Amino acid sequence: MPTRPASRARDAVQHSARLDRLFQALADASRRQMIDRLSAGPASVSELAQPLEMALPSVVKHLAVLESGGIVLSEKRGRVRTYRIAPDALALVEGWIAERKARYQSQFDALERYLASQPDEDEA
């Protein structure tokens, strides 16, 4: 069954909103540092807070932004909340970047073909 225009428009808006949340989550140096730490494995809130020299409530707010962006997942066991990187956390950003890179690369390829087709100034 073909996708209807309204459905495609809604999907595009949702995709854009997900990208916005992802880029917002990546925009802060402290959150990027947390992502770097989590790339080594799961960590508790207090483990993530330790190198940042910030209060736990602030760390929790940053982690909420990362979770909203789809970058991290959390699990609570007893009194300890543990965070880990979400599978394919950055796939959406990677895809967005790859699309733009392919576009500008094709423009550079066209420019290269054009320049190669031009006679050398020495020959003219």
Side-chain angles (χ1 to χ4, degrees):
M1 185 171 174
T3 330
R4 295 171 45 191
S7 175
R8 279 184 286 189
R10 184 176 51 253
D11 290 347
V13 168
Q14 290 172 347
H15 184 265
S16 180
R18 287 180 54 213
L19 264 175
D20 289 348
R21 285 191 304 273
L22 240 170
F23 280 117
Q24 178 189 10
L26 294 171
D28 183 83
S30 296
R31 291 193 286 266
R32 290 192 305 273
Q33 189 174 347
M34 289 179 202
I35 292 168
D36 288 343
R37 166 53 188 88
L38 291 171
S39 67
S44 69
V45 174
S46 58
E47 290 171 328
L48 292 167
Q50 189 176 15
L52 297 174
E53 299 179 9
M54 78 175 55
L56 287 178
S58 297
V59 172
V60 170
K61 286 181 182 180
H62 281 293
L63 288 165
V65 172
L66 289 172
E67 199 163 16
S68 172
I71 298 173
V72 300
L73 301 171
S74 69
E75 178 180 11
K76 188 168 184 176
R77 288 192 182 163
R79 297 176 61 193
V80 178
R81 182 166 295 278
T82 303
Y83 286 84
R84 63 185 169 86
I85 297 287
D88 296 325
L90 301 176
L92 188 61
V93 171
E94 290 170 344
W96 185 85
I97 291 170
E99 287 173 13
R100 271 107 198 118
K101 185 177 179 181
R103 262 189 237 149
Y104 78 70
Q105 190 61 50
S106 69
Q107 291 175 344
F108 283 130
D109 291 345
L111 176 61
E112 184 178 21
R113 286 189 302 275
Y114 171 77
L115 293 174
S117 73
Q118 299 302 303
D120 287 339
E121 287 185 21
D122 295 338
E123 294 176 10

